[in-house]
Structure formats: structure tokens, C-alpha cells
């Protein structure tokens, strides 16, 4: 297969399993994000792919060739890590050309490549600048140019934009994505920022507890989270305790609800129903039809572009996010009716 194949990779530190039996296929040219909370094993998995850490078990192959025991300097993957700073005493150009010099390229070759790379990261003509004279965003662009200098087969980035302010971070995300598409380079980015992962990746590997909890396109993960961990981690979700009656029917309090058909029959009669706040339709009138529950409004927050409404439904807090034009204009304490479209109601594994 062309691309990166990670098979049953495990890494323990003492008794702690940092990465637990992870398998993943990343096709050539794809942009994948490892997304998960602090300590879930993202960096350790990335370091094993880079060759900076060796797996306790399992294997890693690139384009069909086993590279599990190959050292990092032979893999030559491009890396931008938060801690991998630029050389402060070298100029921008010298930083970018660093690996080319080690490779033995002559001055003319190096200059041509540096010019090309600095144009690519939108810093043309900056090669003489001292690194200390650059802004945070410019430094990250130099780090990206330096990592791409040797045309690496795989590009690895670990929280590369976490030190930048929100606006610059978004600009850099767009720039990196456009650059990656242009170069068609297989790229893995580690982040705990779900917005970053959603906006950049072809595929997201959601990690929790050293395991891949779900792997798929951003939209498929958002629309159909595999379990409560993923539903909680990606976006906002209402998670309601339900009793399973059959593969498409549940009971929530006194309400019988139809849900998206479960692919596997629930093993327990108690389960969790997940529905996104923006999928709930709020109405003032009763008799709104099937799959409706009623609730008392406990809190309303008008954000301008949307209205967030919290309701008490059968003792549970349920959040509904409504577009201003659809907002019925009720007040705290009012009873409202929530229609839960059945295909948006998913019963999750715990
Ligand atoms: P963060 O987002 O905070 O960087 P992460 O998901 O990247 O977290 P890792 O850095 O991969 O997580 O760490 C996973 C687990 O392994 C953590 O519990 C961490 O403390 C542990 N760990 C990582 N490296 C080592 C090490 N060299 N020695 C011992 N334990 C380690």
C-alpha cells in the first residue's frame, strides 16, 4: 500500500500503557489529525512514527516497507514540534538550509532551494533576517520551511500553532492546509483542539486512553460519534440515559422515541442517546408530532448568531441551539416542546 501503515503498535512506560494496540492506515497524500485530551498518547504515537521512540510491539511501514526499526535520521520525516525551536544564532536562510548543508548540497543549490521554500511559506526575500526579528507566525513558517527542505515523505506536526493567538492560529491552519494540498505530502498533525482538527483534516483519529476511539472524516465523526467519549470530545452533545426497547426504539423517562437504527443490537437495556444541540427543533405548540419531549426552559443565552436554550427534560439538562430566525421567543420557566429527528438520535456504546 502507498502510505503509512501502523499495525498493532503498543508502547508502555513502566506499567502505564501510553499507546495501546493502535492500527491505522494513512493513504499517501492524506492529512490526518491525532485528536484527544492531554495524556491520551498522541505525542507518543507521533514519536514512534518519527522514529524517536521505538514501539514495544507492532510495526510501522511506509509504502509497503517495514521501517519499525529504522532510526529517525534515516526516515527523514519532516517535523515541526512545539519544542523543536529554530536555531536562534542562525539567519532564516541558514535555518532553512540546515539539513541541506548536512546533506552536502553546494551553496548555489542551497540558495535556490531556500528561495523556493521561503516563497512557498510566504516569506520571500527574508533569508538574511535574524530569527529573533520574526513574529511568532513567521517563526512557525520558517520551521515549516526547514522541515520541508529535504522533501520528506511524511510531514509530522505536534501542536505547531498552540503558542499563537487565535487569529494567527486560524490563518496558519489555512496556510498549512493549502501548502499540504499543493505538495500532496502525507501529513499528521497532533492537536487537542477539535476545531483545528475539524477544519484541517481529511481524517481524524480521536484518541482516548492510548487507543483510537474512532477514525474517519471530520463530518462522519461529528455526525455519527462511535461512543460517548467521542460524542463528548467533538462538539457539544446531549447525552441522555435511555432504556433500549428494540433496535430503533428507546424510552426516555415517560417518552418513547424512535432512533437511528442501531447497527449492532445494544447489549444492555440501558444505553445513552446522543443528539446534537443544533438538531433539536424547539416549538411552543404542543402536538409537534412524533419524537417529541417537553421541557421547562431553565436558561437562555442569546449569542447574536444563535440562541442557546437549556431545558429541564425529565430531570435532565438538555441544550438546544436555535437560529435567531427560528427562535420562538419564549422565556425562562416556559414549557417548550423538543422534536428530536430520529436520524439524529444515536444510541451509543458506553
Ligand atoms: P499532551 O497533549 O499533553 O501532549 P499526549 O496525548 O501527547 O498529551 P503523550 O505525551 O503521548 O500524551 O503521553 C501519554 C502518556 O504517557 C502520559 O500519561 C505520559 O505521562 C506518559 N509518558 C509519555 N512519555 C513518557 C516517558 N518518556 N516516560 C514516562 N511516561 C511517559
Amino acid at each position: 500500500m502507498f502510505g503509512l501503515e501502523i499495525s498493532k503498535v503498543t508502547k508502555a512506560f513502566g506499567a502505564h500503557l501510553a499507546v495501546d494496540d493502535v492500527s491505522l492506515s494513512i493513504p499517501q497524500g492524506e492529512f490526518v489529525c491525532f485528536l484527544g485530551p492531554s495524556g491520551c498518547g498522541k505525542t507518543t504515537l507521533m514519536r514512534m512514527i518519527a522514529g524517536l521512540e521505538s514501539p514495544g510491539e507492532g510495526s510501522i511501514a511506509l509504502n509497503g516497507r517495514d521501517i519499525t526499526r529504522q532510526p529517525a535520521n534515516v526516515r527523514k520525516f519532516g517535523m515541526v514540534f512545539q519544542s523543536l525551536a529554530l536555531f536562534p544564532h542562525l539567519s532564516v536562510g541558514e535555518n532553512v538550509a540546515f539539513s541541506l548543508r548536512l546533506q552536502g548540497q553546494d551553496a548555489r543549490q542551497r540558495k535556490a532551494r531556500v528561495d523556493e521554500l521561503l516563497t512557498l511559506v510566504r516569506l520571500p526575500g527574508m533569508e538574511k533576517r535574524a530569527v529573533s526579528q520574526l513574529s511568532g507566525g513567521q517563526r512557525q513558517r520558517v520551521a515549516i520551511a526547514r522541515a520541508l527542505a529535504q522533501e520528506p515523505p511524511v510531514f509530522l506536526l505536534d501542536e505547531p500553532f498552540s503558542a499563537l493567538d487565535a487569529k494567527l492560529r486560524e490563518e496558519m491552519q489555512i496556510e498549512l492546509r493549502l501548502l499540504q494540498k499543493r505538495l500532496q505530502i502525507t501529513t499528521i498533525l497532533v492537536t487537542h483542539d477539535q476545531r483545528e482538527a475539524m477544519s484541517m483534516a481529511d481524517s481524524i483519529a480521536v484518541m482516548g486512553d492510548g487507543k483510537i476511539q474512532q477514525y474517519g472524516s471530520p463530518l462522519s465523526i461529528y455526525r455519527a460519534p462511535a461512543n460517548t467519549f467521542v460524542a463528548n470530545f467533538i462538539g457539544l452533545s446531549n447525552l441522555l440515559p435511555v432504556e433500549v426497547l428494540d433496535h430503533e426504539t428507546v424510552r426516555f423517562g415517560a417518552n418513547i422515541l424512535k432512533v437511528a437504527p442501531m447497527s449492532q443490537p445494544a447489549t444492555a437495556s440501558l444505553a445513552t442517546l446522543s443528539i446534537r444541540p443544533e438538531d433539536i427543533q424547539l416549538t411552543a405548540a404542543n402536538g409537534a408530532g412524533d419524537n417529541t419531549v417537553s421541557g421547562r426552559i431553565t436558561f437562555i443565552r442569546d449569542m447574536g448568531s444563535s440562541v442557546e436554550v437549556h431545558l429541564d427534560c425529565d430531570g435532565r439538562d438538555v441544550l438546544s441551539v436555535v437560529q435567531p430566525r427560528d427562535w420562538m421567543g419564549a422565556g425562562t420557566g416556559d414549557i417548550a416542546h423538543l422534536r428530536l429527528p430520529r436520524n439524529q438520535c444515536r444510541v451509543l456504546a458506553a
Side-chain angles (χ1 to χ4, degrees):
M1 174 196 137
F2 281 94
L4 207 54
E5 192 77 38
I6 297 154
S7 309
K8 297 179 178 299
V9 162
T10 293
K11 178 78 187 177
F13 294 110
H16 178 66
L17 263 185
V19 173
D20 185 3
D21 194 22
V22 163
S23 295
L24 208 55
S25 290
I26 303 176
Q28 156 64 35
E30 272 228 348
F31 194 123
V32 172
C33 281
F34 293 171
L35 174 68
S38 183
C40 71
K42 312 180 289 293
T43 296
T44 304
L45 180 58
M46 173 79 102
R47 287 174 59 81
M48 288 191 282
I49 294 169
L52 299 171
E53 201 85 67
S54 47
E57 283 168 50
S59 65
I60 299 171
L62 179 66
N63 300 333
R65 218 160 47 83
D66 190 333
I67 58 165
T68 316
R69 303 288 155 209
Q70 199 177 57
N73 61 340
V74 180
R75 286 184 207 190
K76 291 204 175 113
F77 290 178
M79 289 181 237
V80 177
F81 288 177
Q82 219 186 318
S83 56
L84 208 76
L86 296 172
F87 305 115
H89 55 287
L90 298 183
S91 68
V92 166
E94 287 165 337
N95 262 285
V96 174
F98 189 78
S99 61
L100 305 178
R101 185 188 283 271
L102 290 182
Q103 235 181 14
Q105 287 196 10
D106 67 30
R108 202 180 43 81
Q109 282 174 313
R110 291 202 304 267
K111 171 153 183 13
R113 182 74 179 135
V114 167
D115 286 351
E116 185 186 5
L117 286 159
L118 289 181
T119 303
L120 197 66
V121 296
R122 301 205 303 140
L123 294 173
M126 299 272 265
E127 64 274 11
K128 296 262 185 307
R129 275 280 185 101
V131 165
S132 58
Q133 294 171 331
L134 299 178
S135 70
Q138 288 171 330
R139 273 179 219 198
Q140 280 313 67
R141 291 202 201 118
V142 175
I144 289 170
R146 185 177 66 175
L148 294 175
Q150 289 192 27
E151 300 188 36
V154 177
F155 191 23
L156 306 173
L157 304 104
D158 192 347
E159 307 264 9
F161 308 134
S162 56
L164 306 179
D165 68 53
K167 189 165 176 293
L168 187 55
R169 189 157 64 221
E170 284 209 6
E171 283 172 21
M172 291 297 300
Q173 288 165 356
I174 294 169
E175 271 186 39
L176 175 64
R177 182 57 169 147
L178 291 175
L179 184 67
Q180 186 272 341
K181 278 199 169 164
R182 189 131 50 97
L183 299 178
Q184 292 281 305
I185 179 171
T186 308
T187 300
I188 304 174
L189 182 136
V190 164
T191 182
H192 61 263
D193 177 351
Q194 52 127 341
R195 218 179 118 80
E196 181 160 286
M198 290 289 292
S199 63
M200 294 180 84
D202 292 312
S203 298
I204 298 177
V206 183
M207 290 188 70
D209 260 348
K211 288 183 189 297
I212 306 270
Q213 302 286 337
Q214 192 169 3
Y215 183 49
S217 73
L219 216 54
S220 72
I221 288 179
Y222 185 84
R223 297 309 325 170
N227 55 37
T228 51
F229 178 89
V230 176
N232 261 327
F233 197 75
I234 306 256
L236 287 170
S237 227
N238 292 294
L239 298 176
L240 306 173
V242 293
E243 183 189 348
V244 177
L245 301 180
D246 64 40
H247 78 290
E248 52 179 10
T249 317
V250 299
R251 188 200 309 275
F252 168 60
N255 310 281
I256 304 293
L257 298 172
K258 287 287 179 196
V259 297
M262 300 170 215
S263 48
Q264 293 159 337
T267 46
S269 63
L270 295 181
T272 301
L273 181 149
S274 153
I275 182 161
R276 298 285 183 192
E278 67 272 22
D279 289 330
I280 296 177
Q281 296 159 9
L282 272 192
T283 60
N286 201 351
D290 291 344
N291 261 31
T292 303
V293 303
S294 55
R296 188 175 295 280
I297 297 176
T298 55
F299 188 61
I300 300 168
R301 195 152 67 147
D302 195 336
M303 306 296 284
S305 59
S306 63
V307 185
E308 298 177 7
V309 186
H310 286 266
L311 303 106
D312 179 335
C313 298
D314 228 72
R316 294 279 160 177
D317 177 49
V318 176
L319 171 65
S320 166
V321 175
V322 186
Q323 291 303 303
R325 65 171 177 277
D326 298 330
W327 172 229
M328 60 199 194
T332 307
D334 289 352
I335 297 290
H337 301 280
L338 302 82
R339 204 175 88 72
L340 313 178
R342 74 176 287 182
N343 285 330
Q344 270 39 276
C345 294
R346 295 183 179 277
V347 175
L348 302 180

